[in-house]
Structure formats: structure tokens, C-alpha cells
Amino acid sequence: MAKAKYRPEFIVQRDDEKCIRCQVCVRMCSNDVHAYYPDTVISDSFKCVGCHFCEDLCPTGAIAIRRSEPHIKENYHWSGTDVYNIIKQADTGGVLLTGMGCDRPYKDYFGHIVLNASQVTNPSIDPLREPMELRTFIGGKPEVVIIGKSSEPELRTQIPPQLELETPIMFSAMSYGSISLNACKSLAKAACDFGTCWNTGEGGLHRDLSPYAHRAIVQVASGRFGVNKEYLDAGCAVEIKIGQGAKPGIGGHLPGEKVPEEVSRTRMIPEGTDALSPAPHHDIYSIEDLKQLIFALKEATRYEKPVGVKIAAVHNVAPIASGIVRAGADFVVIDGIRGGTGAAPTLIRNNVGIPIELAIAVVDSRLREEGIRNRASIIAAGGFRSSADVVKAIALGADAVYIGTAALIALGCHLCQRCYTGKCNWGIATQDPYLTKRLNPEIGARRAYNLLRAWSLEIKEMLGGMGINAIESLRGNREQLRGVGLNEVELELLGIKHAGEAW
Amino acid sequence: MKEVVIDARGLHYKVLNDMVHRAIGEGVGRIVLENVAGQRYIGDGLKEEVEIVIRGTPGNDLAAFMDGPRIVVEGNAQDGVGNTMNGGEVIIHGDGGDILGYSMRGGRIFVRGDVGYRVGIHMKAYKDLFPVVVVGGCAKDFLGEYMAGGLLVVLGLDGKDELVGDFVGTGMHGGSIFIRGYLDERTLGKEVGVTEPDEDDLTLLHRYLEDFCRCFDLDLGEVLRKPFLKLYPHTHRPYGRLYAY
């Protein structure tokens, strides 16, 4: 039987007149796309994943990577991807894998929401000349605050532990193992320099990252990798990972070949064994059980730091979030369908979960209706592309957001979605020392810091335009939002009016 | 050694655990908790060299995240004993509950009586950290599920026929389980094989059983009279060929 050929997804075009045979591309490509034969360089497009590393490195601009047209006859129902996936599965009998977040054309709600600005009747604020407050506190807030009446101001209410952030943007959970140590270092340092938090993911805390641990949210997942007393003590908050937006209902699985010595030391498992973090925590079958783990962690950390819970945004997200808050979580992380990952079954990533915009709105509404919104902060995650997305998320009801993919793009990621191969040319999603050294953590930290700075400046501009001088006044302030091209159900769920409607 | 007795009657777990922490802070080496009735998280996250004797029934997550102390329960314990425990010792004179030793990475738990479901789930060893759970009685379903390292022993000292429930070692990819006596192979997870223990296994087993017998005043010779079966994982990579790359 004739075997179907895979199509090259990309075409590597080389301008032979510009090529100076320096062989940088040959040496650098981890997918072995380029090869040098005396006086000529040839490229095998079949191997190209479209990460554009060679293109960016080529000193003469001789290389161009172009998306190729599928050489099968596509139709409205059968895309080239569908067909080639079936061929691949017939070849291997395996589950399709992918990396990064869902790329399917589900409605982009952020793209259908517009912001307000002040005109005439209320003044806008110029953030360049007037104070603008982005400081955000993550943690439970008391119902009432009692201030003592003596001459010195005195807070009589005991405030639950809080994370103090200089901007409502944090780096989401990406474990050492899923990304390189240099990538972890870049984000950790940027978070510390800027005054926000990063997240260890479920892979433990590498010893080289301990200088940044005071701004680390340490994750506890079902496999408990790297979790011990020191780990819990080191971080500024603890996050119980129930699920993630890229693969709701699916556990983590770091294959044995990605557990070399350093990863093994950090996760505290032998080299080369599979690191299995199944979707269910087998001590959590109910909200009551979740409460038990939340308080086990609070007891272990002597109630000194916030303990939160991360879930994927699914159909029942609002009642689940309510249960989590009632179980005593200090923050709830909701990860939408666009949330990224180092590896997930393609079909799960593309078909399970709900958009984060809707999830934020329904969770915030539900907690308000029940009168428990103050008990926990909401952190939204899953595909934030710009400061505008962040502003809209906060106006819908989030306290802060987690960015993952955007942060990795700042470090060089070109969204080729092949994180699961461990061959990341940009030195991010790999443990190969030849590749990881391409990412200089000092430069990475500066770039991630720059991203935080740029987005924070933009948020201030947008706030000022609305006549708001503190991010606190934007939180859940849905009057600042209007829908464009959304139907009644969507507007009702988002809790916003359609553009054109006045206050 | 300084010793203190705390009456736990009617105390909320937070109050009780605060008292334990305070006592340890004051350098107490032995704490006796009287009238314990379901208070959770006793010994949770403790690292100090201290002995805690519990009279009564401690609540869930006893010794969770613990890394050092020795806890003696003069009664039964409930669920989640030794959850993510890193070091230390828990001696239970009665029965233990479900998920005992969940993700335990070091130290040991000795139970004189029976234990519940999913005991030893996710147990893992790393370098000199080696978790050990010895059960004097029987265990229920899913013993050693996803087990990645360490040692689980079920002795069945009380003469029951069925020492373990179903699905023993499902997803197991490291460590070993020893069963004293008969085992119906239909109860095993598909990732597990059965063999007779070799010399090294027996030496390891003797070491822990000697301590176990000393704790509960049992005759080692009597315990060793019945032969043991060893359960081992077929592979360290049970889910290695799942994906289409």
C-alpha cells in the first residue's frame, strides 16, 4: 500500500544570492532542517516547525519561512489539518499532542468589547502628571474594617494575608521541566524587579530560583512533585492546582525522557521516570475535601500566606468557584480555554472549556450575588494578548491576571506550538543545554520586565481616559464596557450593555 | 526531656495545633495529647525533633507535610495520615483510614490494624528519602496506586483471607509492595507483576519488620513464618507510548 506523505507545513525559501554559506542555520536548527554540502546549503521543509529561529538569525536575510498550501484537496468540512491528523494517527495509533493554547476560531469576546472614556461631563485624568494606582492586593478581604479611635490610626480588624502587587499582572504557572531554567529565571527575576509574582508550576522550586522565591506562588498538584515543608515555606502564596485551561479534566504527564538530573532533583523523583500528576487529587472528591487540603496547607504554613485554588473554566465554573471560596481559598484562579500548555492532547485543548471572558463575568456575578465576593480574589488566565485584554478582564470582575504565552513571546517564543518535542530553538521549552543557553536570563528578565512596564503604562492611560485613578475602581466596573456585535444572551452573561446604550 | 500534657477535649483543631506549636517553640520534647476526638492536621508541617503521643482519635491529615517528628497514636487514625510527608514516624496502634501515605516521600508509617482505600497512592522515593508503610492488618482497594517509589507491606496478622482489595498497584511505576501470604492475582492492576522476594528484598523487609514488631510488641519470628510475595511494576514508564509525535 502506498503510504501518504505528510505535507510540509512550511516552505523554507533560501535566496541563494544572499546566502553566504555561513551555516548558522545548519548549526542552530534543532530540527535539522538545514544541511551543508560543499558550497551549498539545502533545507528540508518537511522538518520545519515554523519557529522562525533561522530566519531571525540569518545575517543576510537569505531565509524566509512561508506557510505552505496543503497539497490535498481541502473542502469546507475537511481541512488539511483534519486529514493529516488522521494519517498521522493511522501511522502511529497515538493521541495527537500539541503545545500552547487553543487556536480554534471560537468567538473572541475581548475583541467584541469596547472601553469607555470621559468626555466633557466627567474629566479624564492624565496619568503622566497625576498619580495613578495599579497596586493590587490578592487575598481575602474582611467584611468590615474597624479603625481604632485613638490619636494614631490603628487597624483593629485582622486582615487575612495578602500578596501586594505593583501591577495586576502576574506570570502564570510554568514549571521547571516544561520550560528551561533560564526561562524560569527570566520570569522570576522580572517579577521580583517589577514587584509582582511568578508561579513555580507543579515542578518544585529549583535551588537557583530560591533568590526569587519571596515572589513565587508555589503550586501543589496531585503528584505533589517537589512539595515539602521548605517549598511551602519558601513561596509567598500556595496554589492548589486542580485544572488548567489547556486541558481541563486532564492531568499532567512529564515523560521520563524529560526528567534529566536537574529536573529530577527539583521534582524529587528518580531520573527518567514518568512524572504523573493525574487530574483528580485522590484526596479531593468534593468541596469539603478541597477545604481539607486548603486548611492542611494553611496549617502547614501557619496561616501566614494566601492559599488559592486554580481551576479550568468549565460549564459549571460559577458554582464551583463559589464552593472554592466557601472552602476557604484566599484566591481563585480561573484558566480559560485559550490557556497555554507545554503539552496537551490536541483535541482536549481545542474542544474542552469555556472562554475566559464569560467565566470571569459569571464567577464575579455569582460571588457578588452570594455576598462572598470579598472573601477571595479572582485571578483570570488564558490567552491575554495585550493590556486591553487585561483592562477588560478586570472591568468584568477579575482582581488580577496571569500571563503565560505573552510572557514567553517576550522571551522569544514564536508560537510554533511544538513545546512538547523539547526541541525549542528559542531555548524556552527545552532542557537541552545546547538550546537553553540561547536564552540569556538577564536579557530575558529585562524583556519580560519591559512587557510588564509597557502594559502597566497602557493600563494607566486607559484608566485615565475613563476618569479613574486606581485599578480598584475599575474592578467589576462593567459600566466601562460595551459589547459590539454580541447577542442578548452573551450581553447578559457578560453583564454589559451593547454599544450605543448610555449609562 | 521536657514533657507536656494537653487536654484536647472540646478544642478546635486550630487552637489545639497552636498549643502544640507553642509547646515545641518552648523546647518541649514530648507532647501528650489527651482526649483527642477528630481534631485535624495534628503534626502538620512540623520539622522539629519531638514526640507527640495522641490518646483518642486524631482527625484527617495527621502528619501532613511532616518532616521529622515521631507521632504515636494510641487508637485509630482517620484519612490522609502522612499526606505528602517527607520524614519522621507515625505509629498507629489501631486502624488507619483512606489515602494513608499519599505522596509520601520519606519517613515511615506503621499501622497495627487495617487501613482503608488508596493507601500509599503516589508514594515516591528520591535519593536517601525512602518512604515505608507497614500495615499489620489488611488494606482495601487501590493499594499503591500510581506508586513511584518506597516500600508498602501488608502483613494480614489477624488471619483474614483477603489481605488486599482490588486494583492493587494500578499505575504503579516504582517501588515495591510486599504481601504476607496468599494473593489472588485477579486483584492486581495491569501494571504490576508478582514474584518471590530475593535475598536483598528479605534483608530490607527484616529491617523494617524488626522495628514494626518492636513497636507493637510482636514476635518477629512469628511474623516471618508465612512467606511473602513481592509486587513490582513492569516498567518505570507505564504510559510511554501514548502519543503520535
Side-chain angles (χ1 to χ4, degrees), chain A residues 175-209:
Chain A
S175 66
Y176 167 55
S178 74
I179 59 172
S180 65
L181 188 58
N182 282 348
C184 291
K185 256 187 219 165
S186 303
L187 299 180
K189 184 170 189 311
C192 290
D193 291 351
F194 203 86
T196 185
C197 290
W198 61 287
N199 188 311
T200 60
E202 53 181 299
L205 182 71
H206 190 278
R207 60 195 187 292
D208 289 1
L209 296 171

mmCIF file of all heavy atoms in Angstrom, chain A residues 175-209:
data_model
loop_
_atom_site.group_PDB
_atom_site.id
_atom_site.type_symbol
_atom_site.label_atom_id
_atom_site.label_comp_id
_atom_site.label_asym_id
_atom_site.label_seq_id
_atom_site.Cartn_x
_atom_site.Cartn_y
_atom_site.Cartn_z
ATOM 1 N N SER A 175 6.190 25.200 34.909
ATOM 2 C CA SER A 175 7.145 24.500 35.757
ATOM 3 C C SER A 175 8.522 24.458 35.120
ATOM 4 O O SER A 175 8.655 24.499 33.893
ATOM 5 C CB SER A 175 6.662 23.074 36.015
ATOM 6 O OG SER A 175 6.671 22.340 34.810
ATOM 7 N N TYR A 176 9.537 24.349 36.000
ATOM 8 C CA TYR A 176 10.868 23.989 35.509
ATOM 9 C C TYR A 176 10.747 22.533 35.094
ATOM 10 O O TYR A 176 10.423 21.675 35.907
ATOM 11 C CB TYR A 176 11.911 24.174 36.615
ATOM 12 C CG TYR A 176 13.230 23.533 36.271
ATOM 13 C CD1 TYR A 176 13.866 23.863 35.091
ATOM 14 C CD2 TYR A 176 13.808 22.577 37.096
ATOM 15 C CE1 TYR A 176 15.058 23.267 34.737
ATOM 16 C CE2 TYR A 176 15.005 21.972 36.758
ATOM 17 C CZ TYR A 176 15.618 22.323 35.575
ATOM 18 O OH TYR A 176 16.779 21.721 35.223
ATOM 19 N N GLY A 177 10.995 22.261 33.836
ATOM 20 C CA GLY A 177 10.702 20.941 33.272
ATOM 21 C C GLY A 177 9.887 21.181 32.012
ATOM 22 O O GLY A 177 10.261 20.753 30.934
ATOM 23 N N SER A 178 8.808 21.934 32.157
ATOM 24 C CA SER A 178 8.048 22.306 30.958
ATOM 25 C C SER A 178 8.799 23.425 30.233
ATOM 26 O O SER A 178 8.841 23.465 29.009
ATOM 27 C CB SER A 178 6.639 22.757 31.313
ATOM 28 O OG SER A 178 6.629 24.045 31.888
ATOM 29 N N ILE A 179 9.396 24.349 30.999
ATOM 30 C CA ILE A 179 10.266 25.354 30.385
ATOM 31 C C ILE A 179 11.666 25.254 31.019
ATOM 32 O O ILE A 179 11.840 24.630 32.058
ATOM 33 C CB ILE A 179 9.709 26.796 30.487
ATOM 34 C CG1 ILE A 179 9.495 27.220 31.940
ATOM 35 C CG2 ILE A 179 8.421 26.934 29.707
ATOM 36 C CD1 ILE A 179 9.140 28.697 32.100
ATOM 37 N N SER A 180 12.608 25.912 30.384
ATOM 38 C CA SER A 180 14.003 25.793 30.815
ATOM 39 C C SER A 180 14.249 26.633 32.068
ATOM 40 O O SER A 180 13.480 27.531 32.386
ATOM 41 C CB SER A 180 14.936 26.262 29.700
ATOM 42 O OG SER A 180 14.756 27.649 29.456
ATOM 43 N N LEU A 181 15.339 26.334 32.737
ATOM 44 C CA LEU A 181 15.690 27.094 33.933
ATOM 45 C C LEU A 181 15.929 28.567 33.581
ATOM 46 O O LEU A 181 15.547 29.465 34.334
ATOM 47 C CB LEU A 181 16.938 26.486 34.581
ATOM 48 C CG LEU A 181 17.307 27.069 35.938
ATOM 49 C CD1 LEU A 181 16.170 26.913 36.935
ATOM 50 C CD2 LEU A 181 18.562 26.412 36.480
ATOM 51 N N ASN A 182 16.535 28.806 32.419
ATOM 52 C CA ASN A 182 16.773 30.194 32.018
ATOM 53 C C ASN A 182 15.461 30.941 31.788
ATOM 54 O O ASN A 182 15.362 32.138 32.088
ATOM 55 C CB ASN A 182 17.646 30.261 30.759
ATOM 56 C CG ASN A 182 19.115 30.026 31.083
ATOM 57 O OD1 ASN A 182 19.501 30.035 32.253
ATOM 58 N ND2 ASN A 182 19.925 29.794 30.061
ATOM 59 N N ALA A 183 14.477 30.240 31.270
ATOM 60 C CA ALA A 183 13.163 30.870 31.078
ATOM 61 C C ALA A 183 12.534 31.162 32.443
ATOM 62 O O ALA A 183 12.000 32.241 32.673
ATOM 63 C CB ALA A 183 12.257 29.966 30.244
ATOM 64 N N CYS A 184 12.618 30.180 33.369
ATOM 65 C CA CYS A 184 12.089 30.389 34.729
ATOM 66 C C CYS A 184 12.777 31.586 35.375
ATOM 67 O O CYS A 184 12.129 32.450 35.959
ATOM 68 C CB CYS A 184 12.328 29.166 35.610
ATOM 69 S SG CYS A 184 11.364 27.727 35.178
ATOM 70 N N LYS A 185 14.108 31.621 35.249
ATOM 71 C CA LYS A 185 14.895 32.698 35.877
ATOM 72 C C LYS A 185 14.482 34.052 35.318
ATOM 73 O O LYS A 185 14.348 35.034 36.058
ATOM 74 C CB LYS A 185 16.380 32.484 35.582
ATOM 75 C CG LYS A 185 17.169 31.936 36.754
ATOM 76 C CD LYS A 185 18.652 31.932 36.389
ATOM 77 C CE LYS A 185 19.294 30.681 36.938
ATOM 78 N NZ LYS A 185 20.600 30.406 36.355
ATOM 79 N N SER A 186 14.292 34.115 34.010
ATOM 80 C CA SER A 186 13.911 35.379 33.373
ATOM 81 C C SER A 186 12.623 35.906 33.978
ATOM 82 O O SER A 186 12.535 37.079 34.358
ATOM 83 C CB SER A 186 13.703 35.181 31.865
ATOM 84 O OG SER A 186 14.859 34.643 31.270
ATOM 85 N N LEU A 187 11.625 35.030 34.074
ATOM 86 C CA LEU A 187 10.320 35.470 34.571
ATOM 87 C C LEU A 187 10.392 35.789 36.064
ATOM 88 O O LEU A 187 9.818 36.781 36.533
ATOM 89 C CB LEU A 187 9.261 34.395 34.315
ATOM 90 C CG LEU A 187 9.043 34.039 32.836
ATOM 91 C CD1 LEU A 187 7.972 32.967 32.699
ATOM 92 C CD2 LEU A 187 8.655 35.272 32.030
ATOM 93 N N ALA A 188 11.121 34.935 36.807
ATOM 94 C CA ALA A 188 11.205 35.133 38.255
ATOM 95 C C ALA A 188 11.874 36.462 38.568
ATOM 96 O O ALA A 188 11.412 37.235 39.409
ATOM 97 C CB ALA A 188 11.977 33.971 38.885
ATOM 98 N N LYS A 189 12.958 36.755 37.846
ATOM 99 C CA LYS A 189 13.687 37.994 38.111
ATOM 100 C C LYS A 189 12.828 39.200 37.709
ATOM 101 O O LYS A 189 12.745 40.189 38.453
ATOM 102 C CB LYS A 189 15.013 38.000 37.351
ATOM 103 C CG LYS A 189 15.869 39.217 37.657
ATOM 104 C CD LYS A 189 17.268 39.070 37.074
ATOM 105 C CE LYS A 189 18.199 40.182 37.554
ATOM 106 N NZ LYS A 189 17.666 41.526 37.436
ATOM 107 N N ALA A 190 12.177 39.104 36.567
ATOM 108 C CA ALA A 190 11.322 40.212 36.121
ATOM 109 C C ALA A 190 10.215 40.476 37.138
ATOM 110 O O ALA A 190 9.914 41.624 37.456
ATOM 111 C CB ALA A 190 10.723 39.893 34.748
ATOM 112 N N ALA A 191 9.623 39.399 37.665
ATOM 113 C CA ALA A 191 8.539 39.549 38.640
ATOM 114 C C ALA A 191 9.054 40.245 39.899
ATOM 115 O O ALA A 191 8.410 41.146 40.436
ATOM 116 C CB ALA A 191 7.939 38.190 38.982
ATOM 117 N N CYS A 192 10.253 39.830 40.356
ATOM 118 C CA CYS A 192 10.827 40.445 41.558
ATOM 119 C C CYS A 192 11.168 41.907 41.308
ATOM 120 O O CYS A 192 10.870 42.768 42.125
ATOM 121 C CB CYS A 192 12.075 39.689 41.997
ATOM 122 S SG CYS A 192 11.698 38.061 42.651
ATOM 123 N N ASP A 193 11.785 42.177 40.152
ATOM 124 C CA ASP A 193 12.192 43.553 39.854
ATOM 125 C C ASP A 193 10.976 44.465 39.757
ATOM 126 O O ASP A 193 11.029 45.623 40.159
ATOM 127 C CB ASP A 193 12.985 43.607 38.529
ATOM 128 C CG ASP A 193 14.347 42.939 38.665
ATOM 129 O OD1 ASP A 193 14.715 42.602 39.806
ATOM 130 O OD2 ASP A 193 15.026 42.736 37.635
ATOM 131 N N PHE A 194 9.886 43.940 39.203
ATOM 132 C CA PHE A 194 8.731 44.804 38.982
ATOM 133 C C PHE A 194 7.818 44.876 40.199
ATOM 134 O O PHE A 194 7.029 45.803 40.330
ATOM 135 C CB PHE A 194 7.924 44.306 37.764
ATOM 136 C CG PHE A 194 7.083 45.385 37.149
ATOM 137 C CD1 PHE A 194 7.610 46.235 36.200
ATOM 138 C CD2 PHE A 194 5.766 45.583 37.550
ATOM 139 C CE1 PHE A 194 6.855 47.257 35.653
ATOM 140 C CE2 PHE A 194 5.000 46.609 37.005
ATOM 141 C CZ PHE A 194 5.549 47.445 36.049
ATOM 142 N N GLY A 195 7.914 43.846 41.044
ATOM 143 C CA GLY A 195 7.034 43.819 42.207
ATOM 144 C C GLY A 195 5.728 43.101 41.927
ATOM 145 O O GLY A 195 4.659 43.520 42.343
ATOM 146 N N THR A 196 5.825 42.004 41.191
ATOM 147 C CA THR A 196 4.651 41.156 41.014
ATOM 148 C C THR A 196 5.060 39.718 41.319
ATOM 149 O O THR A 196 6.094 39.508 41.952
ATOM 150 C CB THR A 196 4.057 41.331 39.599
ATOM 151 O OG1 THR A 196 2.861 40.570 39.515
ATOM 152 C CG2 THR A 196 5.022 40.912 38.501
ATOM 153 N N CYS A 197 4.274 38.740 40.918
ATOM 154 C CA CYS A 197 4.599 37.356 41.273
ATOM 155 C C CYS A 197 4.773 36.482 40.045
ATOM 156 O O CYS A 197 4.221 36.748 38.986
ATOM 157 C CB CYS A 197 3.486 36.758 42.135
ATOM 158 S SG CYS A 197 3.425 37.478 43.768
ATOM 159 N N TRP A 198 5.568 35.439 40.232
ATOM 160 C CA TRP A 198 5.667 34.379 39.234
ATOM 161 C C TRP A 198 5.171 33.111 39.914
ATOM 162 O O TRP A 198 4.830 33.130 41.092
ATOM 163 C CB TRP A 198 7.102 34.252 38.713
ATOM 164 C CG TRP A 198 8.125 33.906 39.760
ATOM 165 C CD1 TRP A 198 8.600 34.731 40.734
ATOM 166 C CD2 TRP A 198 8.775 32.642 39.940
ATOM 167 N NE1 TRP A 198 9.519 34.067 41.501
ATOM 168 C CE2 TRP A 198 9.643 32.787 41.046
ATOM 169 C CE3 TRP A 198 8.723 31.420 39.272
ATOM 170 C CZ2 TRP A 198 10.450 31.723 41.492
ATOM 171 C CZ3 TRP A 198 9.521 30.385 39.717
ATOM 172 C CH2 TRP A 198 10.375 30.541 40.812
ATOM 173 N N ASN A 199 5.102 32.015 39.158
ATOM 174 C CA ASN A 199 4.493 30.810 39.697
ATOM 175 C C ASN A 199 5.347 29.605 39.320
ATOM 176 O O ASN A 199 5.721 29.456 38.158
ATOM 177 C CB ASN A 199 3.066 30.695 39.131
ATOM 178 C CG ASN A 199 2.270 29.590 39.773
ATOM 179 O OD1 ASN A 199 2.732 28.466 39.893
ATOM 180 N ND2 ASN A 199 1.058 29.914 40.176
ATOM 181 N N THR A 200 5.661 28.781 40.303
ATOM 182 C CA THR A 200 6.581 27.658 40.062
ATOM 183 C C THR A 200 5.995 26.584 39.169
ATOM 184 O O THR A 200 6.725 25.765 38.634
ATOM 185 C CB THR A 200 6.958 26.955 41.370
ATOM 186 O OG1 THR A 200 5.751 26.471 41.974
ATOM 187 C CG2 THR A 200 7.670 27.873 42.336
ATOM 188 N N GLY A 201 4.646 26.543 39.030
ATOM 189 C CA GLY A 201 4.062 25.378 38.381
ATOM 190 C C GLY A 201 4.190 24.189 39.310
ATOM 191 O O GLY A 201 4.578 24.344 40.474
ATOM 192 N N GLU A 202 3.901 22.998 38.786
ATOM 193 C CA GLU A 202 3.902 21.856 39.695
ATOM 194 C C GLU A 202 5.215 21.090 39.680
ATOM 195 O O GLU A 202 5.248 19.896 39.941
ATOM 196 C CB GLU A 202 2.740 20.926 39.378
ATOM 197 C CG GLU A 202 2.660 20.488 37.931
ATOM 198 C CD GLU A 202 1.463 19.579 37.695
ATOM 199 O OE1 GLU A 202 1.410 18.513 38.319
ATOM 200 O OE2 GLU A 202 0.602 19.931 36.892
ATOM 201 N N GLY A 203 6.300 21.773 39.372
ATOM 202 C CA GLY A 203 7.553 21.052 39.231
ATOM 203 C C GLY A 203 8.565 21.303 40.331
ATOM 204 O O GLY A 203 9.726 20.970 40.191
ATOM 205 N N GLY A 204 8.155 21.905 41.431
ATOM 206 C CA GLY A 204 9.102 22.181 42.505
ATOM 207 C C GLY A 204 9.846 23.481 42.263
ATOM 208 O O GLY A 204 9.642 24.175 41.263
ATOM 209 N N LEU A 205 10.702 23.806 43.220
ATOM 210 C CA LEU A 205 11.463 25.059 43.162
ATOM 211 C C LEU A 205 12.941 24.716 43.001
ATOM 212 O O LEU A 205 13.564 24.170 43.909
ATOM 213 C CB LEU A 205 11.242 25.846 44.461
ATOM 214 C CG LEU A 205 11.920 27.208 44.572
ATOM 215 C CD1 LEU A 205 11.252 28.215 43.646
ATOM 216 C CD2 LEU A 205 11.871 27.714 46.003
ATOM 217 N N HIS A 206 13.485 25.027 41.826
ATOM 218 C CA HIS A 206 14.909 24.759 41.594
ATOM 219 C C HIS A 206 15.739 25.636 42.533
ATOM 220 O O HIS A 206 15.375 26.780 42.791
ATOM 221 C CB HIS A 206 15.251 25.063 40.135
ATOM 222 C CG HIS A 206 16.626 24.602 39.742
ATOM 223 N ND1 HIS A 206 17.743 25.348 40.021
ATOM 224 C CD2 HIS A 206 17.056 23.489 39.121
ATOM 225 C CE1 HIS A 206 18.816 24.702 39.567
ATOM 226 N NE2 HIS A 206 18.419 23.573 39.016
ATOM 227 N N ARG A 207 16.854 25.086 43.015
ATOM 228 C CA ARG A 207 17.628 25.842 44.006
ATOM 229 C C ARG A 207 18.127 27.185 43.468
ATOM 230 O O ARG A 207 18.241 28.151 44.221
ATOM 231 C CB ARG A 207 18.780 25.002 44.550
ATOM 232 C CG ARG A 207 19.782 24.529 43.506
ATOM 233 C CD ARG A 207 20.650 23.417 44.096
ATOM 234 N NE ARG A 207 21.736 23.022 43.224
ATOM 235 C CZ ARG A 207 21.579 22.390 42.053
ATOM 236 N NH1 ARG A 207 20.369 22.120 41.582
ATOM 237 N NH2 ARG A 207 22.623 22.046 41.328
ATOM 238 N N ASP A 208 18.390 27.267 42.153
ATOM 239 C CA ASP A 208 18.838 28.535 41.579
ATOM 240 C C ASP A 208 17.735 29.594 41.561
ATOM 241 O O ASP A 208 18.001 30.767 41.298
ATOM 242 C CB ASP A 208 19.338 28.334 40.139
ATOM 243 C CG ASP A 208 20.657 27.577 40.109
ATOM 244 O OD1 ASP A 208 21.151 27.214 41.199
ATOM 245 O OD2 ASP A 208 21.170 27.349 39.001
ATOM 246 N N LEU A 209 16.499 29.161 41.796
ATOM 247 C CA LEU A 209 15.390 30.120 41.779
ATOM 248 C C LEU A 209 15.035 30.598 43.176
ATOM 249 O O LEU A 209 14.163 31.449 43.342
ATOM 250 C CB LEU A 209 14.156 29.485 41.115
ATOM 251 C CG LEU A 209 14.337 29.121 39.633
ATOM 252 C CD1 LEU A 209 13.147 28.307 39.133
ATOM 253 C CD2 LEU A 209 14.503 30.372 38.783
#
